[in-house]
mmCIF file of all heavy atoms in Angstrom:
data_model
loop_
_atom_site.group_PDB
_atom_site.id
_atom_site.type_symbol
_atom_site.label_atom_id
_atom_site.label_comp_id
_atom_site.label_asym_id
_atom_site.label_seq_id
_atom_site.Cartn_x
_atom_site.Cartn_y
_atom_site.Cartn_z
ATOM 1 N N GLY D 135 -1.039 26.335 -14.550
ATOM 2 C CA GLY D 135 -0.778 24.893 -14.592
ATOM 3 C C GLY D 135 -2.133 24.139 -14.362
ATOM 4 O O GLY D 135 -3.055 24.616 -13.647
ATOM 5 N N VAL D 136 -2.192 22.968 -14.902
ATOM 6 C CA VAL D 136 -3.343 22.043 -14.649
ATOM 7 C C VAL D 136 -2.902 20.625 -14.290
ATOM 8 O O VAL D 136 -1.825 20.176 -14.806
ATOM 9 C CB VAL D 136 -4.179 21.870 -16.022
ATOM 10 C CG1 VAL D 136 -5.408 20.969 -15.820
ATOM 11 C CG2 VAL D 136 -4.569 23.308 -16.528
ATOM 12 N N SER D 137 -3.533 20.078 -13.335
ATOM 13 C CA SER D 137 -3.171 18.675 -13.091
ATOM 14 C C SER D 137 -4.407 17.954 -12.733
ATOM 15 O O SER D 137 -5.387 18.607 -12.444
ATOM 16 C CB SER D 137 -2.097 18.515 -12.002
ATOM 17 O OG SER D 137 -2.721 18.690 -10.768
ATOM 18 N N ALA D 138 -4.407 16.646 -12.810
ATOM 19 C CA ALA D 138 -5.554 15.713 -12.437
ATOM 20 C C ALA D 138 -5.400 15.378 -10.946
ATOM 21 O O ALA D 138 -4.432 14.830 -10.484
ATOM 22 C CB ALA D 138 -5.545 14.521 -13.282
ATOM 23 N N ALA D 139 -6.490 15.916 -10.170
ATOM 24 C CA ALA D 139 -6.458 15.601 -8.706
ATOM 25 C C ALA D 139 -6.801 14.167 -8.485
ATOM 26 O O ALA D 139 -6.285 13.520 -7.567
ATOM 27 C CB ALA D 139 -7.252 16.598 -7.936
ATOM 28 N N SER D 140 -7.870 13.716 -9.074
ATOM 29 C CA SER D 140 -8.215 12.387 -9.001
ATOM 30 C C SER D 140 -9.026 11.926 -10.181
ATOM 31 O O SER D 140 -9.716 12.686 -10.714
ATOM 32 C CB SER D 140 -8.971 12.063 -7.720
ATOM 33 O OG SER D 140 -10.331 12.539 -7.824
ATOM 34 N N HIS D 141 -8.866 10.695 -10.621
ATOM 35 C CA HIS D 141 -9.623 10.263 -11.821
ATOM 36 C C HIS D 141 -9.652 8.725 -11.791
ATOM 37 O O HIS D 141 -8.895 8.039 -11.100
ATOM 38 C CB HIS D 141 -8.921 10.747 -13.093
ATOM 39 C CG HIS D 141 -7.601 10.103 -13.390
ATOM 40 N ND1 HIS D 141 -7.486 8.890 -14.044
ATOM 41 C CD2 HIS D 141 -6.301 10.407 -13.008
ATOM 42 C CE1 HIS D 141 -6.218 8.533 -14.107
ATOM 43 N NE2 HIS D 141 -5.496 9.443 -13.527
ATOM 44 N N HIS D 142 -10.517 8.121 -12.636
ATOM 45 C CA HIS D 142 -10.589 6.661 -12.784
ATOM 46 C C HIS D 142 -10.378 6.235 -14.256
ATOM 47 O O HIS D 142 -10.935 5.236 -14.658
ATOM 48 C CB HIS D 142 -11.958 6.137 -12.281
ATOM 49 C CG HIS D 142 -12.296 6.620 -10.905
ATOM 50 N ND1 HIS D 142 -11.682 6.144 -9.677
ATOM 51 C CD2 HIS D 142 -13.064 7.644 -10.540
ATOM 52 C CE1 HIS D 142 -12.190 6.865 -8.693
ATOM 53 N NE2 HIS D 142 -13.042 7.768 -9.155
ATOM 54 N N GLU D 143 -9.617 6.977 -15.002
ATOM 55 C CA GLU D 143 -9.427 6.655 -16.412
ATOM 56 C C GLU D 143 -8.692 5.420 -16.509
ATOM 57 O O GLU D 143 -7.885 5.044 -15.637
ATOM 58 C CB GLU D 143 -8.762 7.886 -17.203
ATOM 59 C CG GLU D 143 -9.577 9.102 -17.091
ATOM 60 C CD GLU D 143 -10.950 9.093 -17.585
ATOM 61 O OE1 GLU D 143 -11.166 8.956 -18.875
ATOM 62 O OE2 GLU D 143 -11.931 9.162 -16.774
ATOM 63 N N THR D 144 -8.777 4.766 -17.687
ATOM 64 C CA THR D 144 -8.157 3.433 -17.923
ATOM 65 C C THR D 144 -6.668 3.575 -17.872
ATOM 66 O O THR D 144 -6.066 4.498 -18.627
ATOM 67 C CB THR D 144 -8.528 2.956 -19.330
ATOM 68 O OG1 THR D 144 -9.955 3.225 -19.584
ATOM 69 C CG2 THR D 144 -8.220 1.494 -19.409
ATOM 70 N N PRO D 145 -5.993 2.782 -17.021
ATOM 71 C CA PRO D 145 -4.545 2.747 -17.093
ATOM 72 C C PRO D 145 -3.983 2.549 -18.473
ATOM 73 O O PRO D 145 -4.494 1.632 -19.162
ATOM 74 C CB PRO D 145 -4.173 1.683 -16.105
ATOM 75 C CG PRO D 145 -5.359 1.499 -15.271
ATOM 76 C CD PRO D 145 -6.548 1.746 -16.098
ATOM 77 N N GLY D 146 -3.029 3.295 -18.909
ATOM 78 C CA GLY D 146 -2.390 3.019 -20.186
ATOM 79 C C GLY D 146 -3.140 3.775 -21.361
ATOM 80 O O GLY D 146 -2.584 3.942 -22.410
#
Side-chain angles (χ1 to χ4, degrees):
Chain D
V136 180
S137 79
S140 75
H141 69 86
H142 308 284
E143 302 302 292
T144 318

